[in-house]
Amino acid sequence: MGKLRFMQGNEAMTEGAIAAGARFYAGYPITPSTEVAETSAARLPRAGGLYIQMEDELGSMAALIGAVCAGKKAYTATSGPGLSLMSENLGVAVMGEIPCVVIDVQRSGPSTGMATKPAQGDVMQARWGTHGDHSVIALAPSSVQDCFDLMITAFNYAETYRTPVIFLADEIIGHLKERVMLRDPDEIRVVERTGPACAPEKYLPYDHSNGLAPLASYGGKYVFKVNGSMHDEAGRPCTSPRNADRVIRHLSEKIESHAEELTITREFRMDDAEYVVVAYGGTVRAALSAMEKARARGIRAGVLQLVTVWPAAEKEIGSAMLRAKAVIVPELNLGQYIDVIRLRNSRGIPVVGVNRVDGRPIEPADITAKIEEVSESCCRTIC
Amino acid sequence: MLQDYLLKEKMPHFWCSGCGNGIVLQSLLRNVDKQKWSRENTVVVTGIGCWGKADDYVRTNTFHGTHGRALAFATGIKLANPGLNVIALMGDGDGITIGGNHLIHAARRNADVTAIMVNNLNYGMTGGQYSGTTPKHAITKTSPYGHVEKGFDVCGVVRAAGAPFVARGTVFDVVQLNRLVELALLHRGFSFVEVISPCPTHFGRSNRMPSAPAMMQWIKDRTVPAAKAQAMSREDLCGKFVTGVFEDREQEDYSTAYQRVIDGLKGEK
């Protein structure tokens, strides 16, 4: 049945990570993600796991990666400025194909910005923060229940695709307190690392010719090389043009070719929606409220929630745009994701943003006003 | 056998003639062999730079990460599985310059990791720029008029930060180096060995020691055993490499201490 609790998003993320089998946390405290660290410090040793507070975010991300190579499921939590620092070793996790989860409870930026104010300014940092070509998976929770459930999904994605997953939360959800069902182990599906089955001398940690190569753990029966530099199938340095091309394309394609399985979306009153609000994270809550208000005024509004922010939900965004008269994209930034949506705008319908960067959350009224504005303008155009 | 730990597929190695890295690698692998550490249970973690390429030639588990972070990766590996033998190989760039913060905290934190820092007094891989250990007045590609900064006394830093085992050797005295590496491997807790090593290609050539023997002689001339150094003045020791064991004491390592916390919580929900 699970346990019904009243808790903060940040706390529920920790519970979700432990439920997913994570037993290692390395991090550096930063507002507004700190409660993830605090809850982890208290909860992990009770679960036989380990919490370590490293000297900075670079060290945190490194220790996390090391722990994964030694067989643990591991996670960390940070906020925008910390993610900037983690980006260096996030690249190692991408290149070394190390499964792990990085929680980013977004706050205002750039730089140290406003530490306690919500924002969604890391959408592009999550995608392109580390240098070089690669793909990434990012999930955005919109409720405390999401913080628990999606965290398990994040670990499952990480293990399945041997990749870091960004848990792209924001201050609204991280500090929101509401009811959450902490599900029992028999109610959740957890992907466990199986490790290779081949003879030890045959194991090649980066030979993906038969699907993704399983990741062994240091200390088992396999001896292997993990390499954050360009490497061949065995993990040895190899910079031949053919090999480099193979590896870089693989890092992107292993995720992009599974985009349909990876993209989670939620639709609210989309059946007859003429005005579609596309939203993610904490902003979804305002979008839903705005949708109801618009409906009450006779405007057919709907909401498409992007639970998976990266890779982009091509199919769902495309299909919403085929039916809609206009799309409204509320974001707590100046429009980082709106262009991703505009790219799928084959019919040339209006795609407009509702943006706030003043440290305050987007209000339902901000979105309702925009819905009304576009509906009137669309009506005028058609009449 | 030493050969069991040496990966020869990537040989000949890429280090310049006269480089000391091969001597240090041999000393390390001989000692790993002497301890009969299994390849499965041993992890060699490296940073970036000339010495950071050492993992290319090692047949144990290896981890090749980013510049300066070797100790942070090694910490995660060791704490996630305390049964592993974890060795971090760093140059002076990795160890004390870009990675200085990780080094002092690793020393304080006392995870059971062995760190072997090869100090060739400059950045060899990028072509001979100054590092955090380059001596004052030395000529490098980025101090063409003489270096205005002072280099770190790395062992002094690590010792002050609380490491329970700290030692310095040189590639000139291989007998001593072997002994220091062995003591470090056997020591439970964070152990640190600095190895003074020649870089004739860059440091030597810029400082009137373009040959390997000239650099070896230079190291030899500047080496002072710790016991002898005690009777010397601060002025006389300026620019010298004091060798020996500076710290060797028992101190509960991180994993043991944390396990006590976990055990103390058993039965509590």
Side-chain angles (χ1 to χ4, degrees):
Chain A
M1 231 338 266
K3 293 186 286 275
L4 205 54
R5 292 281 185 271
F6 182 68
M7 60 168 63
Q8 216 182 59
N10 282 343
E11 295 169 298
M13 289 175 208
T14 308
E15 295 299 335
I18 291 172
R23 292 295 180 270
F24 194 99
Y25 179 101
Y28 189 84
I30 179 171
T31 306
S33 73
T34 324
E35 293 83 1
V36 185
E38 291 170 356
T39 318
S40 300
R43 290 281 286 115
L44 278 171
R46 288 173 188 272
L50 188 138
Y51 168 93
I52 185 166
Q53 199 161 293
M54 294 295 287
E55 47 274 13
D56 55 29
E57 283 85 351
L58 299 104
S60 303
M61 196 61 212
L64 187 70
I65 289 169
V68 175
C69 294
K72 290 281 194 286
K73 284 187 180 178
Y75 65 111
T76 189
T78 190
S79 190
L83 188 65
S84 300
L85 295 177
M86 283 181 183
S87 288
E88 181 198 49
N89 286 332
L90 196 61
V92 175
V94 168
M95 188 64 142
E97 300 189 66
I98 311 295
C100 57
V101 174
V102 176
I103 298 166
D104 174 19
V105 187
Q106 297 168 87
R107 68 192 227 188
S108 165
S111 185
T112 33
M114 294 182 281
T116 57
K117 305 294 182 191
Q120 293 176 315
D122 304 348
V123 180
M124 284 300 168
Q125 185 180 206
R127 178 68 186 86
W128 292 114
T130 196
H131 60 285
D133 283 286
H134 60 88
S135 193
V136 79
I137 302 171
L139 305 177
S142 64
S143 67
V144 177
Q145 188 66 52
D146 268 356
C147 290
F148 181 85
D149 294 339
L150 281 180
M151 185 58 66
I152 297 161
T153 308
F155 274 98
N156 287 350
Y157 282 174
E159 293 294 337
T160 305
Y161 297 97
R162 265 188 73 173
T163 187
V165 172
I166 313 281
F167 200 75
L168 197 61
D170 52 57
E171 194 274 342
I172 297 172
I173 301 304
H175 282 160
L176 176 72
K177 273 197 168 180
E178 60 186 0
R179 202 170 65 159
V180 56
M181 176 65 78
L182 304 180
R183 303 184 202 285
D184 279 343
D186 58 359
E187 290 176 82
I188 55 181
R189 190 182 76 91
V190 169
V191 175
E192 296 296 352
R193 207 171 305 161
T194 48
C198 63
E201 63 276 12
K202 294 258 161 54
Y203 178 54
L204 297 169
Y206 299 103
D207 177 12
H208 305 306
S209 50
N210 298 313
L212 269 172
L215 181 62
S217 299
Y218 293 147
K221 61 177 178 173
Y222 296 91
V223 178
F224 65 105
K225 290 183 171 297
V226 177
N227 205 329
S229 292
M230 185 54 71
H231 49 261
D232 65 9
E233 287 88 345
R236 292 169 305 202
C238 177
T239 56
S240 77
R242 188 160 170 259
N243 182 63
D245 186 79
R246 176 187 70 85
V247 170
I248 301 285
R249 287 182 193 281
H250 160 75
L251 294 178
S252 184
E253 281 166 15
K254 73 172 179 177
I255 292 168
E256 296 303 325
S257 66
H258 292 94
E260 275 196 37
E261 296 150 56
L262 286 163
T263 44
I264 305 166
T265 55
R266 293 181 189 139
E267 297 193 349
F268 302 89
R269 306 195 72 168
M270 284 287 287
D271 289 351
D272 63 344
E274 293 177 330
Y275 300 95
V276 175
V277 183
V278 182
Y280 53 90
T283 308
V284 170
R285 305 175 76 94
L288 290 174
S289 181
M291 172 188 79
E292 296 299 344
K293 286 190 172 74
R295 286 267 174 183
R297 289 169 205 176
I299 304 169
R300 287 184 192 164
V303 171
L304 171 65
Q305 177 183 357
L306 306 177
V307 179
T308 304
V309 176
W310 303 111
E314 299 266 351
K315 205 173 83 181
E316 290 78 3
I317 296 170
S319 133
M321 303 206 88
L322 277 180
R323 290 175 286 145
K325 285 185 179 168
V327 170
I328 297 99
V329 188
E331 294 184 86
L332 278 175
N333 56 50
L334 289 179
Q336 293 196 11
Y337 205 80
I338 195 166
D339 285 342
V340 177
I341 293 162
R342 282 184 174 137
L343 277 176
R344 280 88 192 163
N345 185 7
S346 56
R347 289 167 53 236
I349 58 169
V351 178
V352 294
V354 177
N355 307 92
R356 262 198 124 124
V357 285
D358 59 356
R360 291 165 66 203
I362 291 174
E363 301 280 344
D366 299 337
I367 304 173
T368 317
K370 188 60 79 176
I371 295 172
E372 284 177 350
E373 186 191 312
V374 288
S375 71
E376 278 165 25
S377 131
C378 283
C379 191
R380 271 201 306 276
T381 315
I382 292 159
C383 300
Chain B
M1 267 178 63
L2 172 66
Q3 305 286 332
D4 294 342
Y5 299 94
L6 204 58
L7 184 71
K8 285 181 277 188
E9 294 157 58
K10 286 276 168 188
M11 301 267 180
H13 62 67
F14 99 124
W15 293 320
C16 307
S17 61
C19 172
N21 286 345
I23 298 171
V24 189
L25 184 63
Q26 178 176 223
S27 180
L28 171 68
L29 296 185
R30 276 193 197 286
N31 275 296
V32 170
D33 181 41
K34 191 172 170 187
Q35 303 308 323
K36 298 281 172 261
W37 283 0
S38 74
R39 299 196 297 116
E40 290 80 0
N41 230 30
T42 303
V43 189
V44 169
V45 185
T46 55
I48 301 298
C50 300
W51 181 228
K53 290 282 280 178
D55 66 288
D56 290 5
Y57 316 115
V58 170
R59 286 187 69 222
T60 65
N61 292 300
T62 58
F63 187 99
H64 186 75
T66 33
H67 194 33
R69 323 289 168 213
L71 280 175
F73 288 109
T75 300
I77 292 167
K78 180 68 188 184
L79 299 188
N81 182 353
L84 293 168
N85 303 307
V86 182
I87 303 159
L89 307 182
M90 311 169 291
D92 45 299
D94 265 325
I96 191 74
T97 317
I98 187 171
N101 198 30
H102 303 304
L103 178 60
I104 56 173
H105 286 279
R108 173 186 65 83
R109 189 174 285 130
N110 200 30
D112 183 21
V113 169
T114 304
I116 298 177
M117 193 192 99
V118 172
N119 182 3
N120 65 5
L121 309 167
N122 78 137
Y123 285 118
M125 183 80 115
T126 41
Q129 301 79 24
Y130 65 77
S131 82
T133 60
T134 300
K136 197 163 187 175
H137 308 307
I139 308 289
T140 69
K141 293 271 173 60
T142 46
S143 57
Y145 313 114
H147 195 34
V148 298
E149 303 171 15
K150 252 186 357 184
F152 267 119
D153 168 4
V154 188
C155 286
V157 171
V158 177
R159 196 178 173 196
F165 184 92
V166 182
R168 182 186 290 122
T170 74
V171 296
F172 179 78
D173 189 343
V174 179
V175 177
Q176 183 197 41
L177 179 63
N178 283 340
R179 191 173 62 84
L180 298 178
V181 171
E182 182 176 16
L183 288 172
L185 290 183
L186 288 172
H187 194 278
R188 192 178 172 98
F190 183 72
S191 45
F192 181 82
V193 181
E194 178 189 358
V195 188
I196 306 296
S197 179
C199 176
T201 302
H202 296 298
F203 189 83
R205 198 158 52 187
S206 301
N207 292 284
R208 287 174 291 180
M209 296 173 285
S211 73
M215 267 231 81
M216 266 310 191
Q217 187 67 45
W218 183 78
I219 290 172
K220 186 193 168 204
D221 292 345
R222 273 157 187 73
T223 298
V224 179
K228 192 179 168 191
Q230 279 181 342
M232 290 169 67
S233 71
R234 204 184 163 90
E235 266 179 7
D236 287 343
L237 283 172
C238 187
K240 300 289 194 296
F241 305 120
V242 181
T243 58
V245 178
F246 305 112
E247 194 77 51
D248 187 3
R249 61 186 160 82
E250 293 297 314
Q251 188 188 319
E252 187 176 55
D253 71 294
Y254 191 101
S255 298
T256 310
Y258 203 91
Q259 190 58 46
R260 280 201 291 107
V261 172
I262 293 176
D263 293 344
L265 289 167
K266 286 231 167 93
E268 287 183 41
K269 278 279 164 189

